[in-house]
Amino acid sequence: MKLHWSPRSPFVRKVMIVLHETGQADAVELVRTPVAMAEPNLTLLPDNPLIKLPTLVLDDGYSLFDSRVICEYLAWRAAERGLTLFPADPQQRVRVLRQQALGDGFMDALLLFRQERNKTEEKQTPAWLSAFALKTEATLNFLQDNAGELEQGEFDMGAVTIGCALSYLDYRFADLNWRQRAPDLARWHADVFVRRPSVAATEPAETP
């Protein structure tokens, strides 16, 4: 298999954590594929018409996207060995999918937030900055209120996705000091997520 990859994408990190958790990291060739909103990488076009990361190309040439589809595929492959990141129980599975949706949506918002913050001041849209700041605060408040769900749960796909979103906050939004407003969430992130070997192995790199 071949994974179109970037060392700093939170969505790619989701996939990388799943690869490590399920013992499949050595089965994938990592292909460094830079992408940018204003500069589409046309080399990715044959494998993904959206030109987005991550994109997984199977051995027969069939490509999978986005991170949710890729992670479920990898978890399905590992399920043969008794490894799963998605609970079989329907009620628990809905909980995990809900957490994954929240984490993915949070990362989407943060990527757009960063894009807007990186513009020169005269090109920024204040209403957009305010909206992204509101979504960030509301999501952190929600996660703080529901931190017990993470603390009592397994290291499943919901935990992976939310952990990746919080780590992206650390990486790109250190000035927001999110831990001050979400102490229970911060404790889970530090004591459970960060200590996971798969998480340590996928720390964002500073290379371009």
Side-chain angles (χ1 to χ4, degrees), residues 35 50 60 73 101 109 116 152 180 195:
V35 297
L50 298 173
D60 63 0
Y73 173 76
E116 191 65 21
Q152 296 166 17
Q180 293 182 1
R195 293 186 182 184

Side-chain angles (χ1 to χ4, degrees), residues 140-158:
L140 286 171
N141 289 340
F142 182 90
L143 288 170
Q144 169 64 17
D145 290 343
N146 292 275
E149 190 174 86
L150 287 168
E151 293 172 340
Q152 296 166 17
E154 302 293 331
F155 194 78
D156 51 34
M157 205 61 239

